[in-house]
Amino acid sequence: MTTTPVKSFDLDALTASLEGIEIITEPSQVAKLSQDYHTFSPVLVPKLEGKVGDIVVRPANEAEVLKVAATCVKHRVPVTVRGAGTGNYGQCVPLHGGVILDMTRMHEIRWVKPGIARVEAGVKLAALDKKAREIGWEMRMTPSTYRTATMGGFIAGGSGGIGSIQYGFLADRGNLLALQIVTMEDEPRVIELRGDDVQKVKHAWGINGIITEIEIPLGPAYPWAEVIVTFPEFMAAARFGQALGDADGMIKKEISIFASPIPDYFAAFREYIPDETHAALLILAEPSLELLPGLVEQYGGKITYQKTATDAGKGTHLGEFTWNHTTLHARSEDTSITYLQSTFPADKNLQMVEHMYHHFGDEVMMHLEFTRVNGTVVPVGLQLVRYTSEERLNEIIHYHEEQGVFIANPHTYIIEDSGRKVIDPEQLKFKEMVDPYGLMNPGKSKVLEFKI
Amino acid sequence: MTTTPVKSFDLDALTASLEGIEIITEPSQVAKLSQDYHTFSPVLVPKLEGKVGDIVVRPANEAEVLKVAATCVKHRVPVTVRGAGTGNYGQCVPLHGGVILDMTRMHEIRWVKPGIARVEAGVKLAALDKKAREIGWEMRMTPSTYRTATMGGFIAGGSGGIGSIQYGFLADRGNLLALQIVTMEDEPRVIELRGDDVQKVKHAWGINGIITEIEIPLGPAYPWAEVIVTFPEFMAAARFGQALGDADGMIKKEISIFASPIPDYFAAFREYIPDETHAALLILAEPSLELLPGLVEQYGGKITYQKTATDAGKGTHLGEFTWNHTTLHARSEDTSITYLQSTFPADKNLQMVEHMYHHFGDEVMMHLEFTRVNGTVVPVGLQLVRYTSEERLNEIIHYHEEQGVFIANPHTYIIEDSGRKVIDPEQLKFKEMVDPYGLMNPGKSKVLEFKI
């Protein structure tokens, strides 16, 4: 990791060069737009404290992005691209100041066709979903932040979410069709990456070019119903989740399982989940709903809440209590809570889930999201951890890893230390081309020197 | 198995009671409508030789079905229900004469809604597909006979097919929503079975009531492209099939893999598959097509044929060379060929496929259909067998079973000896109620006495 101090640059000269493009210099605004939700991690908070950009630039179109890129290259100013800042690992917190490139003004939906859409990077996920549903389609997968998150932010810093039980993750071949980027060369170019080439840019936290447009496949917009099922035994709830995931004839968008006392944090649904019971929050296609009671009964559960697709559009959305919104709700009541991101080994009997559930007890509260990983239904854990110290957190992480549970550590802002483990060599090669001066989100990778 | 001879009944009195309902008595017509495609099996042919009904009855509506049922009960006449007769195990060949109940005149599509349809039993699969596509939906899965097969026949005698890589099989919870049947009681009733209760009737070869209406879930009608990929090595083709099946972000409807020389039997596609190469026949959603070349390259394959969704509607359909149509095409050139139906164990490396491929060589030509089985992508084998004797065929079957390959024997007309192994006790209980005189398709189960 580089600790080279940022080379000072002439802010006035930079500002002058950006004339005609919207900028924000008011310090409290700049500080706010230098943040994301890394506050979920007590480890990251002190490390990222005081890290702010010098100026926020808000381009309205590709021409303005090209101008910003050329200007920043000329002045050797670091550029940290951001969408809505809903990431959790400090992905868009600038380590070396410079320009915060806020893409939210570029929110045009270029087109939506059956099964495919093309959007500008600043389009909100919910906005694309709304537009696509007009013709019977929707996003294949969305994070729990989909009301505010942008498409560019999701591609650069997200991984999957609600819908991953059906389509796997963004990184899976076919879940992203094309990216358009602007390079940070002396003469910035627009490059279109299609098919497997999108791998060169995606989930790289904005170090590999400024994503300006995204072509993404859509899934059919089923009429989605929302259901809560409660269970007296946690492992029955977990195995119910696996069985529902494995039921190929039942179309589902979300299967999340929560050990007691996690549901206590869900104020909106508290009345449907009795004390000391464990809960499954489900989003199911209505044509599959009639088959649910039989499966629920098999695992000793009880359906306590059910909302039709028509009603699910109103009021509180079940999806907003899943994935990392679970952590958000827990932390809104108890800020000492943090979380893990883990993938359990494929095992229909969930032995490792059971082991961890008993091993850590109340210290690591089990929150499972069922997903497809390489064709197999497996639970991803976003366990809630009662944080005591960084040392203990690392112990918990290492214990999981030793037992064969894959951990995508959310308590680091270094790409290689999180889910990726190593930086993709293709991404590195591509970076050399598109960001020869290493100006993009510098300091987020171990292997990349911040050159200026 | 019962060998009780059929009790003679008064055909003239029966015919008189059926006045107003369409009947066929012309012997060659009756003989033709007593047949199915069990001719695929050299073992079944001699066993079913000469088995014909006495009369064919063709009801036009439910009222007529009720009248036929009452009449047959009164006269104690066996009833064998049939759709288009595209089954392969003699499911609708009457073992004890009687009435052949031809359901093909009941072909009204009751309604089609997003994700669900309700049809009469005689509706052809292709007709439902056509209607459903008008609103963007289609059948989740169809056999290769979908142009002629009827919905009732598919539910009673089929199992899955094109689409099973996405949705699993008919037997999987959620792939069938409701069945309406007419009972064979003294006073026949109409019964609606919904949800898990459909299990009491489905895939029971018409022994459990006369299916008159079917409610079935639909899948989204993607724009489907057709592709042929060739491979110099068979196992590379097979592993490509597994990898494509496991690629959660790529939407596919069909992945069939053929060892050389099977593609020699595909006259229509012969020019796209060079001698001694192995082939994958694929049906893929167009939004996933751009990602295919990368995966093909990984396994050393070559795309030799590609048809867009628009063009795929015209000319020869790739799907008509898959599943048991493969066997049909092979047998049209060489009638000594028969086939197996097998499910390989879940294993991403396909060791057992490799073992069987080498073990039997040209005697058992490998034809794989990738499917979802309980949430996991596994190959089903419809291997083509160069038939020499029943003894050798049984040896081949037993060898597979010993090695852990599940065989759904297509060379028997006994329900328990085929895929089911045992007859579902729930189905038996239900049969006692709806067919107290054991008149429905008698002789197809070991445990059911033909009582009259």
Side-chain angles (χ1 to χ4, degrees):
Chain A
M1 187 172 64
T2 175
T3 49
T4 321
V6 59
K7 184 181 168 187
S8 62
F9 57 89
D10 185 339
L11 189 59
D12 290 339
L14 180 79
T15 309
S17 305
L18 293 174
E19 207 203 323
I21 301 176
E22 186 178 326
I23 59 172
I24 297 172
T25 53
E26 198 279 309
S28 74
Q29 280 282 85
V30 174
K32 196 180 150 202
L33 291 168
S34 299
Q35 290 301 301
D36 60 12
Y37 281 82
H38 70 269
T39 43
F40 280 20
S41 166
V43 178
L44 286 175
V45 168
K47 289 183 182 162
L48 295 174
E49 206 181 332
K51 302 289 185 189
V52 291
D54 293 288
I55 183 177
V56 177
V57 182
R58 306 186 69 223
N61 52 50
E62 187 184 278
E64 291 192 358
V65 173
L66 281 161
K67 191 173 168 185
V68 175
T71 304
C72 290
V73 169
K74 188 178 154 205
H75 291 265
R76 298 291 191 272
V77 180
V79 173
T80 302
V81 187
R82 73 178 269 126
T86 56
N88 299 105
Y89 329 128
Q91 295 107 307
C92 66
V93 175
L95 298 180
H96 299 285
V99 163
I100 303 292
L101 193 63
D102 175 348
M103 299 298 286
T104 56
R105 285 182 71 207
M106 290 180 63
H107 52 62
E108 193 185 306
I109 296 174
R110 293 282 192 223
W111 45 257
V112 176
K113 294 190 290 196
I116 305 190
R118 188 169 175 112
V119 297
E120 285 191 316
V123 166
K124 283 191 198 312
L125 276 52
L128 172 56
D129 245 13
K130 195 177 166 200
K131 185 77 183 167
R133 283 192 185 126
E134 289 173 10
I135 60 159
W137 296 82
E138 63 182 15
M139 285 192 71
R140 286 185 176 178
M141 67 195 75
T142 57
S144 54
T145 53
Y146 78 109
R147 281 175 186 273
T148 48
T150 65
M151 290 293 294
F154 182 42
I155 302 303
S159 64
I162 302 165
S164 286
I165 182 60
Q166 196 79 5
Y167 300 102
F169 290 82
L170 264 183
D172 293 322
R173 195 176 242 143
N175 281 330
L176 179 57
L177 299 173
L179 290 176
Q180 188 176 285
I181 63 154
V182 165
T183 68
M184 292 279 290
E185 298 165 288
D186 287 311
E187 290 183 24
R189 287 177 295 159
V190 176
I191 296 180
E192 170 102 356
L193 298 166
R194 300 201 62 89
D196 288 332
D197 280 345
V198 299
Q199 305 293 343
K200 293 176 183 169
V201 170
K202 80 181 178 195
H203 204 71
W205 300 5
I207 68 168
N208 272 2
I210 302 161
I211 299 174
T212 50
E213 290 196 14
I214 296 146
E215 207 172 301
I216 199 157
L218 302 172
Y222 280 94
W224 296 112
E226 300 187 344
V227 182
I228 297 177
V229 189
T230 62
F231 297 83
E233 300 294 333
F234 172 71
M235 282 311 297
R239 291 191 178 111
F240 162 81
Q242 180 75 44
L244 179 59
D246 282 333
D248 298 312
M250 295 179 75
I251 308 297
K252 51 263 162 184
K253 189 169 176 175
E254 172 68 10
I255 304 174
S256 43
I257 307 293
F258 303 97
S260 174
I262 295 177
D264 294 357
Y265 299 118
F266 302 165
F269 296 114
R270 201 60 198 77
E271 60 181 304
Y272 305 104
I273 309 171
D275 283 349
E276 287 170 39
T277 63
H278 313 274
L281 268 57
L282 311 174
I283 304 178
L284 273 185
E286 279 193 352
S288 298
L289 209 51
E290 195 171 350
L291 282 304
L292 189 65
L295 190 65
V296 167
E297 201 190 335
Q298 235 172 281
Y299 289 85
K302 195 174 158 190
I303 297 174
T304 58
Y305 174 94
Q306 191 166 312
K307 220 173 181 182
T308 63
T310 314
D311 291 341
K314 306 164 204 149
T316 311
H317 290 241
L318 216 62
E320 292 185 11
F321 292 78
T322 65
W323 291 85
N324 234 349
H325 259 60
T326 307
T327 319
L328 182 75
H329 288 286
R331 283 180 47 80
S332 77
E333 292 199 21
D334 181 350
T335 53
S336 75
I337 288 174
T338 187
Y339 72 118
L340 296 181
Q341 293 184 148
S342 47
T343 305
F344 285 90
D347 162 25
K348 292 192 192 299
N349 201 31
L350 305 175
Q351 298 290 5
M352 189 58 73
V353 170
E354 188 163 21
H355 172 75
M356 294 297 175
Y357 176 68
H358 293 298
H359 184 79
F360 288 107
D362 195 51
E363 186 184 14
V364 181
M365 296 173 272
M366 200 60 92
H367 163 200
L368 301 176
E369 295 285 345
F370 281 90
T371 65
R372 277 200 183 284
V373 174
N374 195 21
T376 304
V377 176
V378 300
V380 158
L382 280 91
Q383 302 92 327
L384 297 184
V385 179
R386 297 193 193 275
Y387 184 76
T388 45
S389 69
E390 187 174 350
E391 194 189 352
R392 176 59 186 157
L393 182 64
N394 286 333
E395 254 176 45
I396 293 169
I397 290 173
H398 292 148
Y399 185 80
H400 278 81
E401 289 177 333
E402 273 166 27
Q403 300 288 318
V405 179
F406 176 86
I407 297 282
N409 190 358
H411 303 284
T412 172
Y413 58 74
I414 300 297
I415 297 180
E416 298 91 333
D417 290 341
S418 66
R420 305 295 295 262
K421 304 303 178 193
V422 288
I423 201 159
D424 182 337
E426 282 295 309
Q427 287 198 342
L428 273 187
K429 225 169 89 185
F430 190 70
K431 181 176 175 72
E432 276 174 29
M433 179 177 90
V434 300
D435 182 26
Y437 302 104
L439 295 170
M440 300 205 70
N441 206 358
K444 297 291 169 65
S445 165
K446 277 180 187 170
V447 299
L448 296 169
E449 276 296 309
F450 180 47
K451 301 178 185 174
I452 60 175
Chain B
M1 188 171 62
T2 177
T3 49
T4 320
V6 61
K7 181 180 169 188
S8 62
F9 58 89
D10 185 339
L11 189 60
D12 290 340
L14 179 80
T15 309
S17 305
L18 294 173
E19 208 203 322
I21 300 175
E22 185 178 325
I23 59 170
I24 297 172
T25 53
E26 199 278 308
S28 73
Q29 280 282 85
V30 174
K32 197 181 149 200
L33 291 168
S34 299
Q35 291 300 300
D36 62 10
Y37 280 83
H38 70 268
T39 43
F40 279 21
S41 166
V43 177
L44 286 176
V45 168
K47 290 181 180 163
L48 295 174
E49 207 180 334
K51 302 288 185 191
V52 291
D54 293 289
I55 183 176
V56 176
V57 182
R58 307 186 69 223
N61 52 51
E62 187 184 277
E64 292 191 358
V65 173
L66 281 162
K67 191 173 169 185
V68 176
T71 305
C72 290
V73 169
K74 188 177 154 204
H75 292 265
R76 300 290 192 271
V77 180
V79 173
T80 303
V81 188
R82 72 178 272 124
T86 55
N88 299 106
Y89 329 128
Q91 294 107 305
C92 65
V93 175
L95 298 180
H96 300 286
V99 163
I100 302 292
L101 193 63
D102 175 348
M103 300 297 288
T104 56
R105 285 181 70 207
M106 290 178 64
H107 52 62
E108 194 185 305
I109 296 173
R110 293 282 190 224
W111 45 258
V112 176
K113 293 191 291 197
I116 305 193
R118 188 171 175 111
V119 297
E120 285 191 314
V123 166
K124 284 192 198 311
L125 276 52
L128 171 57
D129 245 11
K130 194 177 166 199
K131 185 78 184 165
R133 282 193 186 125
E134 288 173 10
I135 59 159
W137 297 82
E138 64 181 14
M139 286 192 70
R140 285 186 177 178
M141 66 194 75
T142 58
S144 55
T145 54
Y146 78 108
R147 281 175 187 273
T148 48
T150 66
M151 290 293 294
F154 183 42
I155 302 303
S159 64
I162 301 165
S164 287
I165 181 61
Q166 197 79 6
Y167 300 101
F169 290 83
L170 264 184
D172 293 322
R173 195 177 242 140
N175 282 328
L176 179 57
L177 299 175
L179 290 176
Q180 188 176 284
I181 62 152
V182 165
T183 67
M184 292 279 289
E185 297 165 288
D186 288 311
E187 289 184 27
R189 287 177 296 160
V190 176
I191 296 179
E192 171 102 357
L193 298 166
R194 301 201 61 88
D196 287 332
D197 280 345
V198 300
Q199 305 293 342
K200 293 175 182 170
V201 171
K202 79 181 181 197
H203 204 70
W205 300 6
I207 67 167
N208 272 3
I210 301 161
I211 299 173
T212 50
E213 290 197 14
I214 296 144
E215 207 172 301
I216 199 157
L218 303 171
Y222 279 93
W224 296 113
E226 301 186 345
V227 181
I228 297 177
V229 188
T230 62
F231 296 84
E233 300 294 333
F234 172 71
M235 283 310 299
R239 292 191 177 113
F240 162 81
Q242 180 76 43
L244 179 58
D246 283 333
D248 298 312
M250 296 180 73
I251 308 297
K252 51 263 162 181
K253 189 169 177 175
E254 173 68 11
I255 305 174
S256 42
I257 307 293
F258 303 97
S260 175
I262 296 178
D264 294 358
Y265 300 119
F266 302 164
F269 296 115
R270 200 62 198 81
E271 61 182 301
Y272 305 104
I273 308 171
D275 285 348
E276 287 170 40
T277 63
H278 313 274
L281 268 57
L282 311 174
I283 305 179
L284 271 188
E286 277 192 355
S288 298
L289 209 51
E290 195 171 351
L291 282 300
L292 189 65
L295 190 65
V296 166
E297 200 190 337
Q298 234 173 283
Y299 288 86
K302 195 175 158 187
I303 296 173
T304 59
Y305 174 94
Q306 191 165 314
K307 222 173 181 182
T308 63
T310 314
D311 291 342
K314 306 166 205 149
T316 311
H317 290 241
L318 215 63
E320 293 186 10
F321 292 78
T322 65
W323 291 86
N324 233 348
H325 260 60
T326 307
T327 319
L328 182 77
H329 288 286
R331 282 179 48 79
S332 77
E333 291 199 22
D334 181 349
T335 54
S336 76
I337 288 174
T338 187
Y339 73 117
L340 295 182
Q341 293 184 147
S342 47
T343 305
F344 284 91
D347 162 25
K348 291 192 192 299
N349 200 30
L350 303 175
Q351 298 290 4
M352 189 58 74
V353 170
E354 187 162 23
H355 173 74
M356 293 297 176
Y357 175 69
H358 292 299
H359 184 79
F360 288 108
D362 195 51
E363 187 184 13
V364 180
M365 294 174 273
M366 200 59 92
H367 164 198
L368 301 176
E369 295 285 345
F370 280 89
T371 66
R372 272 197 189 286
V373 174
N374 194 20
T376 304
V377 176
V378 301
V380 157
L382 281 91
Q383 302 92 326
L384 298 184
V385 178
R386 297 194 193 274
Y387 184 74
T388 46
S389 70
E390 189 174 348
E391 194 191 353
R392 176 59 185 157
L393 182 63
N394 286 333
E395 255 177 42
I396 293 169
I397 288 173
H398 292 148
Y399 185 80
H400 279 80
E401 289 177 334
E402 274 166 25
Q403 300 289 316
V405 180
F406 176 88
I407 296 284
N409 189 359
H411 303 284
T412 174
Y413 59 74
I414 300 296
I415 297 181
E416 297 91 332
D417 291 342
S418 67
R420 305 295 295 262
K421 305 301 177 194
V422 287
I423 200 160
D424 182 338
E426 282 294 307
Q427 288 199 341
L428 273 187
K429 224 170 91 186
F430 190 69
K431 181 176 175 72
E432 275 173 31
M433 178 178 91
V434 300
D435 183 26
Y437 302 104
L439 295 169
M440 299 204 70
N441 206 358
K444 296 291 169 64
S445 164
K446 276 179 187 169
V447 298
L448 295 170
E449 276 297 309
F450 181 46
K451 301 177 184 174
I452 60 174

